[in-house]
Amino acid sequence: MSGSSVVERVTCLGCGCTCDDVAVEVRDGRIVGVTPPCPVGRAWFGDGSIPEHVLVSGSAAPIEAAITEAARLLVESAGELLVYLGPDVSAQAQRAAVALADRLRAAVDSATSEPAAAGLLAAQRRGRAAATLGEIRNRADVLMFWGVDPTQRYPRYLSRYALEPAGTHVPAGRAGRRVISVSIGTDRGPTGADVALEVAPEDELAALSVMRATALGHRLGELPERLGAVPDTALQLTTARYAVLVHEAELSAVPRSPHRTEGLIALTQALNGVTRAALSSLRAGGNRSGAESVLTWQTGFPMSVDFSGGFPRYSPGSRGLERLRGGGFAAVLIVGSAAELAGELEARRAPVHAVVIGPRASEAPLTARVAIDTGVAGIHEGGTAYRMDEVPLPLRPPLPGARSTAETLGALLLEVRARLAERSG
Ligand code: SF4
């Protein structure tokens, strides 16, 4: 490819905002510009170059031979296999991976982080009051940021969805919204808020309880001085037309209370008694939310599903990587980017055979029996990805890819089926 062109309305998976309004400038087959400017998005797109290797035991091989070897290994390991859904693949590829797990009686798990998993479990216990980012943009007149400033990890969250844009019910944009910034120890809320509240980490759950009691209209006894400002802050939420609570659902540098999300869900539900309110959970990109959606509509569960009994079983207390570390699998099929997994595989107790199919599989820092490089969803591959609010969006790749993840997995599924049929016949 030569010359310069701009591909409009590209969907970025650099973070869970999944902005679908990005213009990508391509010159000589490389990405040279991304508009609007976003540092996280620019780093995620890079220049678009990726390896295109197919390796069997570390040596170059034809794709057909790699599929045959991968199928042989996976069928041999049926019942003792982990299928891991890594980031940067489409929902179509995730669906094919789940079909493979089903056929092979494998366990299947995803890159859902531990804090995000804890949030999913809390939502399963309590229900949740969520909203799409569009609803937040159009309706939120009071926003409370609970120990998070989205600017660093989710650079366009405030400008595109939550704070600055004019909405149908908030036509004045930022001027029509009240912002409450709550800092929990070193988890700082955004600067420039209308109300700022400091809460010590050990008081976090008490502060959430006081807010909830205030929203429910309970009479409060005397509070310690350090929680004195909490009821007034809660009253700002109760007088909103539409309040939105924003929190970080992913790992952060400082450990936080595992009950934070449940406390925020409970507060949001209490607020819905007196006004309308929603909880916005900030999630990482790479279509991680897609893995949860695909698993949910394929099996009924959002993560950590085990097909070893011949039907899907939910085992959230025993995540796939934890079992892998403990030597619980003979083999692992990694679908998607494997970079984050290197430490996990090194820490395992027993050797495990690995098949990696995804972007930069040949560069994965682990010894894989089979490695097949495919494109990055959103850069080289189309399909569907899910935003942090679980809204599915189409992918419009600005560059061509040598090999599609979903098609490669489809070919592997055919070969696995044939081998399983041979074995049972
Ligand atoms: S905010 Fe996130 S999704 Fe949007 S352009 Fe930046 S990195 Fe990409």
Side-chain angles (χ1 to χ4, degrees):
M1 190 189 290
S2 63
S4 180
S5 62
V6 175
V7 184
E8 303 282 353
R9 296 189 304 125
V10 172
T11 302
C12 172
L13 302 185
C15 77
C17 289
T18 318
C19 301
D20 59 351
D21 62 345
V22 177
V24 173
E25 187 182 355
V26 177
R27 191 179 309 139
D28 299 326
R30 292 284 175 265
I31 294 172
V32 294
V34 173
T35 314
C38 168
V40 176
R42 190 67 194 89
W44 181 76
F45 280 105
D47 69 357
S49 56
I50 49 166
E52 297 178 351
H53 303 299
V54 175
L55 305 177
V56 175
S57 300
S59 302
I63 182 68
E64 296 78 10
I67 296 282
T68 303
E69 175 60 8
R72 186 194 66 73
L73 179 67
L74 296 179
V75 169
E76 249 177 34
S77 310
E80 297 177 283
L81 174 69
L82 171 67
V83 174
Y84 182 83
L85 305 176
D88 290 334
V89 293
S90 67
Q92 287 73 10
Q94 291 161 341
R95 185 174 61 179
V98 175
L100 273 162
D102 188 1
R103 283 281 162 163
L104 292 162
R105 296 196 170 211
V108 57
D109 209 347
S110 65
T112 302
S113 65
E114 284 310 314
L120 291 172
L121 291 173
Q124 286 171 340
R125 282 193 297 274
R126 283 194 167 267
R128 60 179 173 171
T132 65
L133 295 179
E135 194 175 350
I136 292 170
R137 175 192 173 112
N138 284 318
R139 293 184 180 278
D141 63 329
V142 176
L143 289 140
M144 180 168 78
F145 293 87
W146 190 265
V148 68
D149 178 353
T151 314
Q152 295 293 319
R153 283 180 159 186
Y154 312 93
R156 297 182 64 209
Y157 182 86
L158 298 181
S159 62
R160 191 156 193 251
Y161 303 115
L163 193 56
E164 290 153 27
T168 48
H169 297 272
V170 198
R174 171 67 183 91
R177 305 184 206 267
R178 178 162 281 264
V179 176
I180 303 168
S181 169
V182 182
S183 296
I184 317 289
T186 53
D187 282 351
R188 311 301 294 174
T191 54
D194 303 293
V195 177
L197 183 68
E198 301 262 349
V199 176
E202 59 273 22
D203 291 332
E204 178 180 12
L205 297 183
L208 283 168
S209 296
V210 169
M211 284 195 172
R212 181 163 171 260
T214 307
L216 291 169
H218 295 325
R219 184 190 290 272
L220 295 170
E222 194 176 335
L223 292 171
E225 198 182 324
R226 57 187 192 278
L227 295 178
V230 173
D232 278 351
T233 309
L235 288 174
Q236 308 244 4
L237 295 169
T238 61
T239 51
R241 286 196 314 276
Y242 194 113
V244 171
L245 283 55
V246 183
H247 75 118
E248 174 63 87
E250 300 289 355
L251 276 172
S252 50
V254 183
R256 56 180 183 258
S257 167
H259 304 298
R260 176 185 288 182
T261 305
E262 191 145 3
L264 287 165
I265 291 174
L267 173 58
T268 311
Q269 288 171 332
L271 287 167
N272 272 290
V274 286
T275 182
R276 294 189 67 190
L279 180 65
S280 179
S281 300
L282 300 173
R283 296 294 311 276
N287 198 25
R288 284 169 171 79
S289 302
E292 292 151 22
S293 292
V294 168
L295 274 170
T296 301
W297 50 258
Q298 291 278 303
T299 72
F301 309 112
M303 61 186 171
S304 202
V305 180
D306 193 335
F307 285 100
S308 61
F311 56 90
R313 260 185 321 181
Y314 193 29
S315 57
S318 174
R319 298 289 308 272
L321 290 183
E322 199 183 306
R323 290 174 62 192
L324 183 67
R325 273 196 296 269
F329 299 106
V332 58
L333 166 63
I334 300 166
V335 173
S337 175
E340 295 170 5
L341 278 182
E344 304 292 342
L345 292 173
E346 293 311 315
R348 71 195 184 276
R349 271 197 221 137
V352 68
H353 299 299
V355 173
V356 188
I357 299 175
R360 302 182 182 87
S362 63
E363 294 177 352
L366 56 99
T367 310
R369 178 79 70 84
V370 177
I372 302 176
D373 287 328
T374 62
V376 179
I379 300 178
H380 315 92
E381 295 192 8
T384 309
Y386 285 72
R387 209 165 57 185
M388 61 168 77
D389 55 354
E390 295 166 24
V391 169
L393 293 166
L395 300 173
R396 302 180 191 87
L399 295 177
R403 195 172 298 105
S404 140
T405 316
E407 285 171 18
T408 306
L409 291 168
L412 179 58
L413 183 58
L414 284 176
E415 184 70 25
V416 162
R417 276 186 183 146
R419 282 174 179 264
L420 289 172
E422 244 173 53
R423 218 167 63 160
S424 64

